[in-house]
Amino acid sequence: MAQERLHFLLSLLVLAVLQGTNAVTYSVTNTAGTTPGGQKFANQIGVDYTRQTLSSSTNFILRTFQQNTEADKKNVQQVSLFIDNMDGVAYTSGNQIHASARYIQGYNGDVKREFTGVLYHEMAHVWQWGNGAPGGLIEGIADFVRLKAGYAPSHWVQPGKGDRWDQGYDVTARFLDYCNSLRSCFVADLNKKMRNGYSHNYFSDLLGKSVDQLWSEYKAKYQT
């Protein structure tokens, strides 16, 4: 009986070590703490909420991309986010996310919700594949994640709007959402294909139609 209990405890220890090995750690640094935007971040958003959101967004993104095993996803062990006194909204470089304190200061709506949506977008960049893919598609997939998470802002274009399928951001996100309605795992499958390169043929491989035909049919669906 004692041996069985010892074996059970050792099994739990091994499991804990394995989970710790695969776990992602998150750090949040407010480098703009003395600025109005940095203070607004501290008072209305906070480090603890941001760290929790980085973790929950990772879980959501991995489910959305259907990256269910360690072999499916990038080897990311640490994600660092910085609140910086800079222009723009945010950008991601590798496993580092930089968010603008000036944008936080100037945002007049629900800044916590907006910031959450920005984090889902930027965290998608941390986890997505996309070697050689058009920049507009990369940004569109990140906004698709934000859309599916329920954090699309009111100023986004409505479905059917836009000039090109790879225009990027909300335009491409809406188009990808349409493609995903034709095949429920389309974006996940497209992301997997982009692990080792990119081709427009991926659209026809997955949906049986060229991306230009899909874009035409998407525009026609919402034409008034």
Side-chain angles (χ1 to χ4, degrees):
M1 187 71 177
Q3 288 183 338
E4 291 179 356
R5 179 174 177 80
L6 178 61
H7 182 268
F8 175 72
L9 291 174
L10 287 174
S11 298
L12 289 179
L13 178 61
V14 170
L15 179 61
V17 170
L18 288 174
Q19 289 178 336
T21 301
N22 296 331
V24 182
T25 58
Y26 304 94
S27 66
V28 179
T29 305
N30 185 359
T31 69
T34 60
T35 69
Q39 292 171 1
K40 186 176 180 180
F41 167 80
N43 294 331
Q44 298 189 29
I45 302 171
V47 169
D48 289 342
Y49 174 80
T50 300
R51 190 181 293 112
Q52 292 169 5
T53 303
L54 292 174
S55 178
S56 59
S57 64
T58 286
N59 294 334
F60 179 84
I61 291 162
L62 294 180
R63 290 196 305 271
T64 301
F65 290 165
Q66 297 183 3
Q67 294 175 337
N68 302 316
T69 68
E70 292 301 309
D72 292 335
K73 63 185 183 182
K74 290 181 179 178
N75 181 22
V76 176
Q77 298 180 352
Q78 167 83 27
V79 177
S80 302
L81 183 140
F82 300 90
I83 306 298
D84 294 332
N85 186 29
M86 66 180 196
D87 293 328
V89 179
Y91 71 90
T92 297
S93 178
N95 301 340
Q96 289 190 1
I97 299 172
H98 296 263
S100 169
R102 297 177 190 174
Y103 181 75
I104 292 171
Q105 171 61 18
Y107 193 81
N108 294 321
D110 185 343
V111 69
K112 195 170 188 178
R113 185 181 189 280
E114 169 65 10
F115 185 74
T116 301
V118 170
L119 290 188
Y120 271 77
H121 175 104
E122 298 303 328
M123 283 298 292
H125 287 323
V126 172
W127 291 107
Q128 71 186 146
W129 302 108
N131 296 328
L137 178 57
I138 295 295
E139 297 297 343
I141 290 176
D143 262 359
F144 171 83
V145 167
R146 180 174 180 173
L147 173 66
K148 303 311 286 185
Y151 292 106
S154 59
H155 66 260
W156 273 18
V157 300
Q158 293 302 304
K161 301 298 183 180
D163 300 321
R164 306 185 320 275
W165 73 268
D166 59 350
Q167 192 169 338
Y169 297 100
D170 50 348
V171 171
T172 301
R174 297 290 194 189
F175 172 62
L176 292 173
D177 194 36
Y178 164 76
C179 292
N180 219 62
S181 72
L182 303 177
R183 177 189 174 105
S184 61
C185 55
F186 171 77
V187 171
D189 289 341
L190 178 63
N191 182 65
K192 291 174 185 176
K193 279 180 169 290
M194 293 195 301
R195 182 168 186 166
N196 298 311
Y198 174 77
S199 170
H200 288 338
N201 293 332
Y202 291 164
F203 284 83
S204 57
D205 292 344
L206 295 172
L207 295 175
K209 299 176 181 178
S210 70
V211 65
D212 292 331
Q213 184 178 355
L214 288 164
W215 174 253
S216 296
E217 292 176 358
Y218 165 68
K219 294 288 287 184
K221 178 179 179 180
Y222 293 100
Q223 188 175 23
T224 58

